[in-house]
Amino acid sequence: MSNDNHGSQSGDNSLNVGVGDFRGADVNINNGERTTFTPEQLHIERHPTFGGRSLDSRNVSVFGYIAGLASLIGLYFTLFQPGLGWHSTWSTLFMFSFIVAVMAVVMSAVLRRRKFDHCFGSRHFLEMSQSGRLRVNRLTAQCPWCGSLMHLRHVGPKDGPRDDLFLCERNPRQHTIQLDPTALPELQD
Ligand SMILES: [Zn+2]
């Protein structure tokens, strides 16, 4: 057997890297971004928090308007009270309650459209049922690649866009599934 090189030796001396033949090599680890699964395939489960207690979203908005108005009135009187002012504990308290009130109104307005949003850090999700009741749930699933438990997390860069992702306990970097909350079954009362 001769080891003659039958290839052409001419060229521009650039390095030609052959296109590797990866047939048979199991490298197509799917990170789940393109694959879609149904909630049934993923065995998605809701885990209610606060003992499954729910709130009527209309009450939340009403509470928000009343609390917002009350804190504005409180703030007004605090600022014109001799001895008090912007730096008093009372004005801080009224400003804080005003922010809470605005958040309550905004949250219930957003949820009426989206029905689903994260809250309390990255593990808890606020959901609205068909009749407009609010509940806080944690969501888990079963990893379709390795069968491990997955937790739904609200993750992403600090300032950038964040996603609701199911992260696998065993391989949280590659076994991730983006949740489409509209694919979830309706929340029952
Ligand atoms: Zn997994």
Side-chain angles (χ1 to χ4, degrees), residues 13-176:
N13 291 326
S14 66
L15 184 63
N16 285 307
V17 179
V19 179
D21 184 358
F22 288 106
R23 270 177 300 181
D26 193 13
V27 290
N28 58 334
I29 291 172
N30 200 322
N31 64 6
E33 274 172 14
R34 295 280 173 267
T35 323
T36 52
F37 298 94
T38 64
E40 290 76 36
Q41 282 176 303
L42 294 171
H43 305 284
I44 293 180
E45 279 180 53
R46 287 181 166 112
H47 303 273
T49 45
F50 301 126
R53 249 162 276 213
S54 66
L55 272 174
D56 194 316
S57 62
R58 279 160 298 189
N59 293 349
V60 174
S61 327
V62 170
F63 158 81
Y65 285 120
I66 293 171
L69 197 67
S71 28
L72 280 184
I73 293 169
L75 192 62
Y76 179 83
F77 283 108
T78 310
L79 294 183
F80 291 96
Q81 195 75 30
L84 296 173
W86 277 114
H87 299 289
S88 68
T89 318
W90 281 106
S91 72
T92 313
L93 191 75
F94 284 129
M95 295 231 285
F96 180 74
S97 64
F98 182 69
I99 292 166
V100 170
V102 169
M103 274 169 62
V105 173
V106 170
M107 275 298 256
S108 59
V110 166
L111 272 163
R112 220 161 288 146
R113 263 172 289 146
R114 296 188 45 185
K115 312 259 186 222
F116 191 91
D117 209 351
H118 73 99
C119 70
F120 310 133
S122 66
R123 284 162 176 256
H124 294 88
F125 294 85
L126 202 55
E127 291 191 86
M128 189 181 276
S129 73
Q130 272 174 309
S131 61
R133 294 193 76 82
L134 295 170
R135 261 171 223 276
V136 178
N137 290 323
R138 284 185 305 114
L139 280 92
T140 58
Q142 195 184 30
C143 180
W145 295 284
C146 71
S148 302
L149 189 68
M150 302 181 102
H151 293 279
L152 188 66
R153 295 281 158 80
H154 188 66
V155 287
K158 237 181 179 175
D159 314 309
R162 291 179 170 215
D163 285 319
D164 297 329
L165 292 178
F166 277 114
L167 303 184
C168 173
E169 276 189 335
R170 218 172 136 192
N171 188 349
R173 285 178 163 270
Q174 286 166 314
H175 297 177
T176 63

